[in-house]
Amino acid sequence: MVSRIGMLVAEGEIDNNVLVMHTIESGWTDMRDTLTEGTYNQMATANPDAWCKKLEAVMLALEKNQIQYHLGDDCLMTRHGKVENGKVVIGNQKYSLVIVPETEVLGETALKLLTEFKAQGGEVIFVNSVPEYVAGVKNDGFKALAEKIVSVEELGEAIPAEIRNLNLKNSGGDEYFVNALVRGFADRTMYYLHNRHGVSQTATLTVKGGSAVLYNPETDEEAPVLFTAKGE
């Protein structure tokens, strides 16, 4: 079963519309400021883990809402990133929405790309606050992009409907949220749902498509599933 699922996940096409900026620069800046005198013992007073938790909170909020996303690394964006037709493009991936978690610092590449992205009609969501530093230097560049600032709790509702690959309502709510993974194939789209909490739930899944089947990875068989079609 695990082998079949792993094969489908590996071979399917990834179409994540959301890019979450990685905030490691704040962690390094916090560490560097703490180690000004270069003594090893001062590492104990640095708190880069606080920035990690803020990033994790954003990731968890997206996963609770089954939002497919990637993390944006400044080094990779510098080498492979560009803005094209209103989307941030990194390698073969294209993103229609960029989320900036709470952070003090982002790199020069991030400011350049997000400024171009915004100018081409792209949407940027800042969580809780706006970065005040670019590559460690005070800079108001991100403030000009901050039309939408939301809390972590508001983030799920702030994601536009057209960005979502699916919409899932489960009886357990956020406490027992269901993880989702989406992969595309030539003749179908796979929605892999993982109820990891061990609590039996009912759920309603809304996706784009003309029909639906339930795949059993243990037997490699498909079975009809009841669905309702709306629109064309």
Side-chain angles (χ1 to χ4, degrees):
M1 179 180 74
V2 174
S3 296
R4 287 196 179 103
I5 293 173
M7 180 193 69
L8 291 169
V9 170
E11 293 186 354
E13 181 180 346
I14 301 172
D15 186 23
N16 293 358
N17 293 320
V18 178
L19 182 69
V20 178
M21 298 301 301
H22 202 294
T23 55
I24 193 170
E25 287 96 338
S26 286
W28 286 121
T29 302
D30 188 12
M31 182 73 76
R32 185 179 64 239
D33 289 346
T34 306
L35 293 173
T36 301
E37 298 178 16
T39 59
Y40 180 80
N41 289 337
Q42 283 181 304
M43 290 185 69
T45 64
N47 191 26
D49 189 51
W51 299 110
C52 180
K53 290 180 179 178
K54 294 177 189 294
L55 175 60
E56 287 178 347
V58 168
M59 294 164 62
L60 182 60
L62 294 176
E63 289 169 16
K64 285 183 176 180
N65 286 274
Q66 295 82 38
I67 304 297
Q68 311 294 295
Y69 68 89
H70 283 150
L71 293 176
D73 175 79
D74 193 73
C75 292
L76 288 176
M77 292 173 68
T78 299
R79 283 183 283 175
H80 305 293
K82 61 182 178 180
V83 177
E84 192 173 79
N85 299 322
K87 294 188 177 184
V88 174
V89 180
I90 305 175
N92 295 324
Q93 298 297 311
K94 299 179 180 181
Y95 306 97
S96 303
L97 172 68
V98 177
I99 297 173
V100 181
E102 185 175 352
T103 184
E104 289 184 341
V105 186
L106 282 178
E108 293 176 347
T109 297
L111 178 58
K112 176 178 178 293
L113 289 179
L114 294 189
T115 300
E116 292 180 15
F117 178 58
K118 197 75 165 57
Q120 293 188 21
E123 184 169 359
V124 183
I125 298 177
F126 291 85
V127 180
N128 290 335
S129 63
V130 179
E132 296 183 0
Y133 297 86
V134 176
V137 179
K138 193 84 168 180
N139 190 311
D140 291 334
F142 287 107
K143 291 183 179 179
L145 309 177
E147 292 184 6
K148 183 179 289 188
I149 303 175
V150 303
S151 66
V152 173
E153 293 75 19
E154 297 169 329
L155 184 56
E157 294 296 326
I159 306 296
E162 61 269 20
I163 297 295
R164 297 172 180 266
N165 302 85
L166 69 151
N167 192 307
L168 187 143
K169 301 295 183 184
N170 60 298
S171 58
D174 283 352
E175 184 178 0
Y176 300 111
F177 70 92
V178 176
N179 291 96
L181 192 68
V182 182
R183 290 292 185 268
F185 297 89
D187 61 342
R188 66 189 60 198
T189 300
M190 179 184 77
Y191 300 91
Y192 174 50
L193 307 179
H194 181 206
N195 181 20
R196 63 178 186 171
H197 300 282
V199 176
S200 180
Q201 302 188 63
T202 58
T204 301
L205 177 66
T206 303
V207 299
K208 294 180 180 179
S211 63
V213 295
L214 182 64
Y215 175 67
N216 186 334
E218 293 184 353
T219 63
D220 195 30
E221 295 177 343
E222 295 178 353
V225 62
L226 189 64
F227 67 90
T228 302
K230 294 182 179 180
E232 297 180 1

